[in-house]
């Protein structure tokens, strides 16, 4: 099975190719460039470096959200374009599940808690664990105030590993308010990686969790700032 994966859901841009159990290539960059500048050139580099014939792909996996609205749209449009041109199915992999999959087979009593900075003191988060070598969702992904998440984790009374771009933003709050044993994932595992999207995508592909390119939609979890401002303007005008 050959799967191409894309992740542009956060600050990281990442492209990977897996074939069977091998990660053939992965190109990941966490730098201040927009994903519209980086994603296609990165894909092109991989294609050239490993002589990839896109026609031989079985599917295209993409980090489906939540995350940056612009980043998700770029990843989604790229995956849809490739899927349509190549007549290949898409696998929408929830961003937070792919992040949690970085920490494969963590001890079953330990919770994995990816946090992405959603601004306004909120995080995109979910709570996960591994049971019998499978990723299990303990709490579905959602946009939450960080304080609410910490209160929930304290109630669960299990050790927790935090990862994601929300860690540097909320590290002080975690150190101050987290009452359970916790740790932070190291640098090579603490951000989005298309390799994890591809590996989890392969699991979902086998389970038949695929979409046509037309069906695929990013999962934003909340409305964008532009939509919030528009709603505010409409409400204001409606009051006149």
């Amino acid at each position: 099975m050959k799967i191409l994966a894309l992740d542009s859901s956060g600050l990281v841009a990442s492209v990977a190719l897996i074939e069977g159990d091998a990660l053939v290539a992965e190109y990941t960059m966490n730098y201040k460039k927009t994903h519209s500048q980086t994603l296609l050139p990165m894909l092109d580099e991989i294609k050239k470096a490993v002589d990839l014939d896109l026609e031989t792909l079985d599917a295209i996996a993409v980090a489906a959200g939540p995350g940056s609205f612009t980043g998700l749209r770029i990843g989604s449009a790229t995956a849809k374009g490739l899927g349509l041109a190549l007549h290949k199915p898409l696998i929408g992999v929830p961003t937070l599940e792919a992040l949690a999959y970085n920490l494969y087979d963590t001890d079953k009593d330990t919770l994995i808690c990816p946090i992405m900075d959603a601004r306004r003191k909120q995080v995109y988060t979910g709570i996960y664990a591994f049971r019998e070598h499978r990723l299990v969702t303990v709490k579905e992904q959602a946009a939450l105030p960080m304080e609410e998440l910490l209160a929930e984790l304290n109630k669960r009374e299990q050790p927790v590993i935090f990862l994601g771009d929300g860690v540097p933003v909320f590290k002080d709050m975690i150190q101050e308010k987290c009452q359970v044993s916790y740790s932070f994932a190291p640098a090579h595992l603490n951000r989005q990686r298309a390799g994890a999207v591809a590996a989890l995508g392969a699991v979902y592909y086998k389970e038949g969790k695929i979409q046509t390119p037309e069906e695929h939609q990013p999962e934003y979890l909340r409305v964008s700032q532009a939509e919030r401002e528009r709603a505010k303007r409409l409400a204001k005008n409606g009051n006149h």
Side-chain angles (χ1 to χ4, degrees), residues 195-216:
V197 175
L200 190 52
V203 173
Y204 292 162
Y205 182 85
K206 285 174 190 159
E207 291 172 356
K209 293 183 188 170
I210 58 173
Q211 306 165 304
T212 64
E214 293 88 348
E215 284 169 334
H216 175 73

Side-chain angles (χ1 to χ4, degrees), residues 62-136:
V62 61
S68 142
F69 290 91
T70 307
L72 288 173
R73 279 194 282 265
I74 291 164
S76 176
T78 307
K80 281 163 97 80
L82 285 167
L84 286 165
L86 299 164
H87 306 291
K88 303 291 179 186
L90 264 52
I91 311 158
V93 178
T95 305
L96 294 155
E97 289 181 23
L99 261 168
Y101 210 64
N102 280 349
L103 304 182
Y104 180 78
D105 245 4
T106 299
D107 179 274
K108 66 179 170 48
D109 296 320
T110 300
L111 298 174
I112 301 167
C113 189
I115 51 174
M116 296 172 70
D117 183 18
R119 309 285 163 89
R120 298 180 297 145
K121 294 187 181 166
Q122 289 198 330
V123 286
Y124 295 123
T125 189
I127 302 173
Y128 304 91
F130 279 93
R131 311 254 159 81
E132 293 170 10
H133 319 299
R134 287 185 65 83
L135 181 69
V136 174

